[in-house]
């Protein structure tokens, strides 16, 4: 039977609910109004009524409207209809969202970068006509208030052009929140800028996610007019109206480990020289620094957080600080680790982003239209991974304060205006800093020359001072090593299958990344 008009679509939904979803509907009516949503697994729908399911993906606004009408007809309650588990083919990456997806049901994965405070949004606006006093109802869909053009006769009005007064007490509001979703950094090797998309959440979906959460949003892509004052632009913004959200719990979901990979991982793990081999796989082009590299290897794996009987939590991550003279390969090592780690963020202490290293609550116009907005900083985005922070000594005073809690409790609390949240920051911190005067002064002790307060310094488990002392033999060896690396690099460009043991990481980075992810996930 073809789906032709709204009436038949509503009927079809009623039939589906009656035949296959009776229990769930009854349950929804029992829990109303504490729960206001009915969730439907796409897979279940497609088994019983494939045509209805496919129609839903192609015409989501219409279908959701009719499904909710059907629920209302059945149990007389305004319950949201929410779809879960939508097919893989509807998964779109944020950077691939295009005009063809407009008005269609899609699912996008990403990292929550910002959230606004929850605000009441007009759903049905009631206006009073200043001429006849009649009340006119205008349902609001856009984010810009729609007012009556005249006092509509079909709503019992006088039919004249008039001016209207908004009756806020009689209008109906729902909770609304905007979030900004960003591509996960794992998918972005090679320093590409992450793309973002704004997602609108309504009613019982609000307040569920905090910055730093990794989620899937199932919803509908639509355009939103851009305006600045009275000017309207012909280019539109794209936003997603969320229909449902799924918060991901599993770490490193994005790293695929095949059965073959697993076999190799288990085989390699039995090697008695494993530690040395892993260390030899870290930045082989960098000469020396064996102890530092071993520490970094340990940091990549980390330990296991422990929960004590009294409720305290002991972190499992190792924090490392490299502090040293300029040109001692600190930045190089940080870059290397951030590429190698299954999940990482590379940033500078003096980064330009308002959220900085920890988090910020700001009144934002660009994103929140004057809303308070909570934005995640580097340590939150690197949750369950490694935050590589170069020039750590140049961080803002605000971050300096917040870093204490972030490093020890591995969470960041923000309480400001309408925002009160605790963000997870279960990451290892790898920092690099220069000595106070740019170089170490031989006459003073090293600790006195690190431009980081002692309280914060004590949060690091390992601090490596890297000095650049002139030493003929060592400098010569290093110079040879660097020259060899260049020569090797040049030959590598010409000859694809070149075998030179020295500059090659023992395990290739892709494999080591999988090894680390496997260890962190399972062991
Ligand atoms: P820093 O951040 O400590 O000031 P960089 O990481 O920017 O230093 O390194 C400066 C340059 O010196 C880089 O090109 C790096 O490869 C080189 N370099 C420094 N130390 C070493 C080393 N031990 N082995 C190989 N190259 C090195
Ligand atoms: Mg540097």
């Amino acid at each position: 039977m073809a789906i032709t008009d709204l009436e038949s679509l509503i009927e079809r939904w009623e039939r589906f609910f009656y035949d296959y979803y009776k229990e769930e509907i009854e349950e929804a009516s029992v829990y109303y109004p504490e729960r206001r949503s009915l969730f439907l697994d796409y897979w279940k729908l497609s088994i019983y009524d494939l045509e209805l399911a496919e129609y839903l993906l192609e015409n989501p606004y219409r279908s959701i409207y009719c499904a909710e009408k059907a629920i209302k007809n059945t149990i007389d309650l305004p319950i949201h209809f929410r779809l879960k588990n939508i097919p893989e083919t509807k998964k779109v990456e944020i950077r691939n969202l295009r005009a063809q997806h407009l008005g269609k049901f899609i699912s996008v994965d990403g990292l929550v970068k910002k959230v606004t405070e929850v605000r009441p949004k007009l759903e049905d606006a009631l206006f009073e006509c200043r001429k006849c006093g009649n009340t006119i109802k205008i349902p609001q869909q856009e984010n810009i208030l729609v007012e009556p053009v005249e006092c509509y006769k079909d709503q019992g009005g006088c039919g004249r052009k008039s001016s209207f007064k908004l009756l806020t007490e009689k209008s109906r509001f729902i909770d609304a929140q905007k979030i900004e979703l960003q591509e996960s950094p794992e998918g972005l090797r090679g320093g590409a800028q992450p793309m973002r998309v704004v997602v609108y959440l309504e009613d019982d979906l609000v307040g569920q996610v905090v910055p730093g959460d990794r989620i899937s949003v199932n919803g509908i892509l639509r355009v939103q007019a851009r305006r600045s004052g009275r000017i309207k632009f012909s280019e539109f913004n794209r936003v997603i109206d969320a229909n449902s959200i799924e918060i991901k719990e599993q770490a490193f979901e994005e790293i695929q480990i095949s059965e073959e990979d697993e076999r190799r991982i288990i085989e390699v793990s039995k090697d008695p020289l494993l530690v040395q081999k892993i260390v030899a796989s870290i930045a082989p082009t960098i000469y020396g620094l064996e102890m530092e590299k071993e520490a970094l290897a340990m940091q990549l794996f980390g330990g296991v957080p422990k929960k004590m009987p009294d409720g305290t939590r002991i972190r499992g991550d190792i924090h490392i600080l490299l502090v040293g003279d300029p040109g001692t390969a600190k930045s190089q090592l940080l870059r290397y680790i951030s590429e190698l780690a299954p999940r990482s963020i590379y940033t500078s202490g003096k980064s330009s982003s308002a959220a900085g290293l920890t988090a910020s609550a700001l009144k934002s116009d660009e994103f929140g239209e004057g809303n308070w907005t909570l934005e995640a900083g580097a340590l939150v985005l690197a949750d369950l991974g490694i935050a590589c922070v170069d020039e750590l000594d140049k961080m803002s005073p605000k971050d300096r304060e917040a870093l204490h809690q972030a490093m020890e409790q591995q969470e960041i609390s923000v309480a400001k205006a309408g925002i009160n949240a605790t963000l997870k920051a279960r990451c290892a911190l790898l920092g690099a800093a220069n000595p106070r005067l740019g170089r170490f002064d031989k006459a003073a002790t090293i600790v006195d020359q690190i431009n980081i307060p002692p309280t914060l310094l004590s949060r690091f488990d390992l601090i490596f001072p890297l000095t650049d002392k002139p030493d003929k033999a060592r400098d010569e060896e290093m110079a040879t090593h660097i020259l060899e690396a260049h020569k090797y690099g040049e030959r590598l460009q010409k000859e694809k299958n070149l075998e030179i043991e020295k500059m090659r990481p023992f395990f290739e980075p892709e494999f080591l990344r999988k090894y680390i992810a496997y260890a962190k996930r399972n062991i």
Side-chain angles (χ1 to χ4, degrees):
M1 191 188 83
I3 295 163
T4 47
D5 55 306
L6 284 183
E7 285 306 314
S8 65
L9 187 54
I10 295 171
E11 253 174 54
R12 184 107 163 218
W13 276 109
E14 279 174 14
R15 201 155 345 108
F16 170 76
F17 288 139
Y18 189 82
D19 291 344
Y20 306 108
Y21 229 59
K22 225 173 179 168
E23 269 175 41
E24 289 86 345
I25 296 257
E26 268 163 25
E27 197 180 307
S29 75
V30 171
Y31 286 108
Y32 186 87
E34 282 75 38
R35 291 190 217 155
R36 297 185 294 280
S37 292
L38 177 76
F39 288 92
L40 175 64
D41 196 319
Y42 179 81
W43 180 78
K44 184 156 186 184
L45 176 62
S46 65
I47 289 179
Y48 293 117
D49 194 339
L50 185 61
E51 198 189 4
L52 191 60
E54 284 175 347
Y55 189 85
L56 170 60
L57 295 179
E58 286 304 305
N59 305 278
Y61 282 119
R62 208 176 146 97
S63 296
I64 292 169
Y65 172 84
C66 291
E68 288 179 353
K69 264 264 183 314
I71 299 171
K72 187 128 206 274
N73 291 347
T74 314
I75 49 175
D76 199 26
L77 289 171
I79 286 178
H80 301 290
F81 171 79
R82 304 200 186 278
L83 195 63
K84 276 195 319 192
N85 215 355
I86 81 168
E88 279 296 310
T89 52
K90 296 294 162 187
K91 277 224 176 290
V92 188
E93 283 186 34
I94 294 177
R95 63 178 54 233
N96 295 334
L97 288 173
R98 293 287 180 272
Q100 73 182 78
H101 300 116
L102 288 173
K104 301 286 188 306
F105 216 116
I106 52 162
S107 175
V108 294
D109 288 353
L111 182 54
V112 179
K113 170 81 174 152
K114 300 181 192 175
V115 305
T116 64
E117 61 184 317
V118 176
R119 276 197 173 175
K121 175 175 166 281
L122 261 178
E123 177 96 328
D124 288 321
L126 290 184
F127 294 91
E128 188 180 84
C129 172
R130 287 209 162 96
K131 284 188 178 149
C132 69
N134 190 53
T135 311
I136 300 282
K137 175 167 146 184
I138 309 273
Q140 304 287 325
Q141 268 135 17
E142 280 289 326
N143 56 335
I144 296 155
L145 182 68
V146 181
E147 297 183 334
V149 179
E150 54 179 48
C151 189
Y152 301 116
K153 275 201 175 128
D154 59 358
Q155 292 198 34
C158 58
R160 285 178 289 179
K161 293 246 180 301
S162 173
S163 70
F164 297 89
K165 183 177 158 213
L166 178 65
L167 304 171
T168 46
E169 308 90 85
K170 290 189 181 152
S171 299
R172 199 164 67 82
F173 289 86
I174 55 164
D175 292 323
Q177 185 180 34
K178 272 202 273 186
I179 64 174
E180 194 177 83
L181 200 64
Q182 170 181 314
E183 289 175 292
S184 334
E186 293 79 33
L188 295 172
R189 306 233 158 248
Q193 272 297 314
M195 304 286 274
R196 295 171 182 175
V197 66
V198 172
V199 179
Y200 281 72
L201 306 178
E202 282 186 359
D203 202 15
D204 51 352
L205 291 184
V206 307
Q208 286 192 16
V209 300
V210 291
D213 280 347
R214 280 147 206 275
I215 62 172
S216 293
V217 173
N218 305 320
I220 306 156
L221 188 70
R222 81 173 150 91
V223 290
Q224 186 185 59
R226 285 170 56 207
R227 53 165 77 191
S228 150
R230 302 187 67 180
I231 305 168
K232 290 187 197 162
F233 298 100
S234 62
E235 240 177 48
F236 288 69
N237 285 335
R238 32 160 229 209
V239 300
I240 295 176
D241 280 327
N243 177 257
S244 68
I245 43 188
E246 297 169 41
I247 300 179
K248 301 192 172 173
E249 297 295 344
Q250 164 81 280
F252 311 123
E253 237 172 45
E254 48 298 318
I255 293 190
Q256 306 285 340
I257 297 174
S258 65
E259 266 175 43
E260 201 190 313
D261 293 328
E262 188 170 351
R263 225 173 299 129
R264 186 171 164 208
I265 287 170
I266 290 171
E267 192 192 303
V268 159
S269 73
K270 296 181 180 137
D271 188 337
L273 291 177
L274 178 66
V275 176
Q276 285 92 318
K277 286 179 177 172
I278 290 176
V279 173
S281 306
I282 292 179
T285 51
I286 291 176
Y287 170 81
L289 304 178
E290 274 85 19
M291 208 202 299
E292 288 79 357
K293 288 183 188 175
E294 188 171 343
L296 295 176
M298 301 295 170
Q299 187 186 36
L300 282 167
F301 288 87
V304 180
K306 293 169 188 78
K307 203 114 193 152
M308 291 294 140
D310 66 351
T312 48
R313 174 180 179 276
I314 301 178
R315 68 179 153 89
D317 296 297
I318 305 168
H319 298 315
I320 298 179
L321 178 65
L322 307 174
V323 44
D325 292 329
T328 46
K330 301 183 297 297
S331 301
Q332 285 277 36
L333 278 176
L334 258 62
R335 280 256 172 234
Y336 198 92
I337 295 298
S338 74
E339 289 279 313
L340 187 58
R343 177 180 293 174
S344 72
I345 292 280
Y346 179 92
T347 183
S348 166
K350 55 177 176 191
S351 95
S352 51
S353 138
L357 297 182
T358 50
S360 75
L362 287 176
K363 222 175 164 98
S364 132
D365 274 331
E366 161 242 345
F367 170 67
E369 285 141 16
N371 260 358
W372 280 92
T373 303
L374 180 60
E375 182 170 353
L379 267 69
V380 176
L381 297 179
D383 184 38
L384 298 176
I386 296 188
C388 301
V389 184
D390 209 350
E391 323 254 344
L392 185 68
D393 46 330
K394 305 201 177 50
M395 69 191 150
S396 70
K398 181 203 79 178
D399 279 339
R400 219 170 258 254
E401 298 280 307
L403 216 52
H404 288 101
Q405 188 202 6
M407 287 176 72
E408 210 48 59
Q409 268 77 50
Q410 300 201 297
E411 50 184 42
I412 295 163
S413 320
V414 185
K416 201 169 172 187
I419 287 171
N420 194 338
T422 302
L423 309 182
K424 294 191 193 85
R426 297 161 297 178
C427 65
L429 176 60
L430 172 58
N434 282 110
R436 196 180 296 262
L437 299 170
R439 283 191 86 79
F440 278 122
D441 177 353
K442 275 187 282 222
T445 62
I446 283 182
V447 175
D448 291 336
Q449 298 184 57
I450 304 176
N451 196 14
I452 291 175
T455 46
L456 199 52
L457 217 46
S458 72
R459 298 283 197 275
F460 283 97
D461 304 294
L462 292 165
I463 301 175
F464 290 103
L466 306 179
T467 52
D468 186 13
K469 272 189 287 214
D471 172 336
K472 189 150 189 289
R474 189 175 167 271
D475 287 350
E476 224 171 78
E477 254 187 71
M478 189 189 304
T480 313
H481 185 93
I482 292 175
L483 288 176
E484 266 180 29
H486 277 265
K487 257 195 281 179
Y488 170 61
E490 202 167 312
R491 283 183 58 196
L492 195 62
Q493 286 188 343
K494 293 183 194 135
E495 310 162 42
K496 277 277 167 281
N497 300 319
L498 193 64
E499 286 291 335
I500 295 181
E501 283 308 314
K502 205 166 169 188
M503 297 293 165
R504 252 184 120 77
F506 197 90
F507 299 122
E508 66 282 8
E510 292 75 53
F511 174 71
L512 196 50
R513 190 177 304 129
K514 285 178 184 169
Y515 193 103
I516 296 165
Y518 184 88
K520 290 198 107 167
R521 208 186 282 171
N522 301 310
I523 311 291

